[in-house]
Amino acid sequence: MVLLVDRALVRGDGPEVVGAAIAVRGGVITAIGGARDVLADHRGGTVLDHRGHTALPGFVDAHVHLVFDGGPDPVGAVRAADPRALAAASAARAETLVRHGVTTARDLGDRDGIVRGVRDGINAGRLLGPRLLTAGSPITPTGGHCWFLGGVADGVEQVRAAVLARVAEGADLVKVMATGGTLTPGGPPNWASQYGVAELRAAVDVAHAHGLPVAAHAHGLAGVADAIAAGVDTIEHCTLPAGPDTDASPARADAVLRAAAKAGIGVCPTLHGGLADLPELLAAPGFHALVARIGRMRRWGVPLLAGTDAGVPGAAFDRFAGSLRWFTEAGLTAPEVLRLATSDTAAAVGVGDRTGALAVGLDADIVVVADDPRANLSTLDEPILVLSRGRVVTGQA
């Protein structure tokens, strides 16, 4: 198969190949260059003619929940769902993701190992979906955030055992709830810590010993600081809400985030495309403070990850591109945002050796859009063609 386009953006932001052809065989990019040269070496195969359009690497969404439906009560829905129905719904959501250009996604909390089954079905070619990295049930204390997903563990020893269980189940990473959240009825508030450094470090030590990264759900500053001290790989949310934390001054917050930069710990702010439909949230001072903080983290060198929290209320699986506007609001340029959504996040979640760029030897995860997204990010909303590991999932083969 050879794909013809006006330009190919190698890392999302560039460099670009003008008048490009991309050859794909066995799901892998085998050549990229000028159309005349590539076509001369790849005669007789299928040609996808998208001249006039732009190709870039597939998007990476570092934070989704396929078992949640994105409706007003995803918790009630997932608790009431039959496992077979929930698996089918999760598979359908995975297909929605990939049809809208997300060719890699991390699922950071499911129930009953359902997403592991979806992952394996995609890898076997039975289902359509992105490359999935799944954490299984998130680790949380009794009554803690998302306890209903089945990952309850109290104290250091139970946390260690829970991580070993994820290893045995075939998880791709470990998710631990360092603080409370807003989704769990009656659960701890999002500013409150659920685990201390000892439990978080135990999770990191065991996970890393088995080659698995650790993602820490952490809203409150104390929980963020503990996650950094424990050496987690990524921090999810990092909203720093107000709470009875006497050491949550702006100066303290900046110091903690600079520590994340020094340690190379990534932050996924999980601002999704559906936020544009929530004017009451957009009007809140805390929201704009979070957006401004994203810009500061970028300047300090904190590795940022693109991720939508798809599945929570208002966060749809077809609006990844819309989530990128918040990074431009934070001061990133369009080329910087494109690199963030592709190669930067691919590297941060550990798949930069397989995807995130258009290069020979990498998987053929490719999105084709009408315009040059460096000048018009909104063109990402409607992909014309999506290849996921060489398989056409949107558009015509």
Side-chain angles (χ1 to χ4, degrees), residues 7-28:
R7 68 186 64 82
L9 305 180
V10 173
R11 287 192 311 269
D13 61 339
E16 68 177 3
V17 180
V18 178
I22 305 169
V24 176
R25 180 173 296 169
V28 174

Side-chain angles (χ1 to χ4, degrees), residues 16-107:
E16 68 177 3
V17 180
V18 178
I22 305 169
V24 176
R25 180 173 296 169
V28 174
I29 296 172
T30 58
I32 180 169
R36 178 178 297 179
D37 293 338
V38 173
L39 285 171
D41 292 335
H42 294 78
R43 293 188 179 94
T46 301
V47 175
L48 306 180
D49 191 344
H50 285 279
R51 285 173 289 191
H53 301 148
T54 300
L56 68 158
F59 310 132
V60 183
D61 191 330
H63 193 128
V64 305
H65 296 280
L66 291 174
V67 296
F68 290 153
D69 63 8
D73 183 20
V75 173
V78 76
R79 294 182 69 184
D82 168 82
R84 183 174 298 179
L86 189 57
S90 298
R93 293 167 196 146
E95 182 172 336
T96 297
L97 278 174
V98 76
R99 288 194 182 279
H100 287 82
V102 174
T103 56
T104 299
R106 284 195 313 175
D107 189 284

Side-chain angles (χ1 to χ4, degrees), residues 18-391:
V18 178
I22 305 169
V24 176
R25 180 173 296 169
V28 174
I29 296 172
T30 58
I32 180 169
R36 178 178 297 179
D37 293 338
V38 173
L39 285 171
D41 292 335
H42 294 78
R43 293 188 179 94
T46 301
V47 175
L48 306 180
D49 191 344
H50 285 279
R51 285 173 289 191
H53 301 148
T54 300
L56 68 158
F59 310 132
V60 183
D61 191 330
H63 193 128
V64 305
H65 296 280
L66 291 174
V67 296
F68 290 153
D69 63 8
D73 183 20
V75 173
V78 76
R79 294 182 69 184
D82 168 82
R84 183 174 298 179
L86 189 57
S90 298
R93 293 167 196 146
E95 182 172 336
T96 297
L97 278 174
V98 76
R99 288 194 182 279
H100 287 82
V102 174
T103 56
T104 299
R106 284 195 313 175
D107 189 284
L108 294 188
D110 77 342
R111 195 195 86 187
D112 302 327
I114 282 171
V115 175
R116 187 169 66 251
V118 175
R119 176 199 67 187
D120 294 346
I122 293 168
N123 289 344
R126 297 190 305 272
L127 299 173
L128 279 179
R131 172 188 296 97
L132 283 178
L133 306 174
T134 176
S137 298
I139 299 172
T140 193
T142 298
H145 185 48
C146 289
W147 61 267
F148 50 84
L149 293 177
V152 171
D154 296 311
V156 168
E157 292 310 313
Q158 287 190 16
V159 167
R160 289 181 181 275
V163 175
L164 288 173
R166 303 299 174 279
V167 173
E169 293 163 0
D172 301 294
L173 74 156
V174 170
K175 170 78 173 296
V176 61
M177 301 298 204
T179 73
T182 59
L183 197 63
T184 303
N190 61 354
W191 52 261
S193 295
Q194 298 192 146
Y195 288 128
V197 174
E199 291 93 346
L200 296 174
R201 186 167 288 144
V204 169
D205 288 347
V206 177
H208 285 183
H210 289 84
L212 299 185
V214 177
H217 163 107
H219 284 281
L221 181 60
V224 170
D226 287 346
I228 294 169
V232 303
D233 298 278
T234 64
I235 296 170
E236 313 301 310
H237 311 301
C238 199
T239 55
L240 309 188
D245 184 340
T246 57
D247 198 16
S249 66
R252 170 61 177 159
D254 286 355
V256 168
L257 295 175
R258 286 179 184 272
K262 184 176 181 180
I265 294 173
V267 171
C268 184
T270 63
L271 296 180
H272 58 80
L275 290 170
D277 301 328
L278 302 173
E280 68 282 1
L281 179 59
L282 301 188
F287 178 81
H288 295 286
L290 172 58
V291 173
R293 192 180 305 120
I294 292 170
R296 293 201 302 278
M297 286 192 286
R298 176 75 172 188
R299 293 192 294 274
W300 295 334
V302 176
L304 295 175
L305 287 73
T308 63
D309 216 1
V312 303
F317 291 88
D318 59 356
R319 298 186 69 175
F320 174 83
S323 73
L324 301 178
R325 66 168 288 188
W326 304 117
F327 293 102
T328 64
E329 295 279 345
L332 278 70
T333 66
E336 287 174 329
V337 171
L338 291 168
R339 182 162 179 163
L340 169 66
T342 57
S343 56
D344 284 359
T345 301
V349 303
V351 294
D353 60 339
R354 296 305 320 148
T355 191
L358 302 182
V360 172
L362 294 188
D363 289 345
D365 295 333
I366 306 172
V367 174
V368 176
V369 293
D371 299 326
D372 186 341
R374 295 170 298 181
N376 176 22
L377 274 177
S378 65
T379 194
L380 303 178
D381 293 338
E382 298 291 340
I384 294 168
L385 177 74
V386 178
L387 300 182
S388 180
R389 288 182 273 187
R391 184 178 185 182

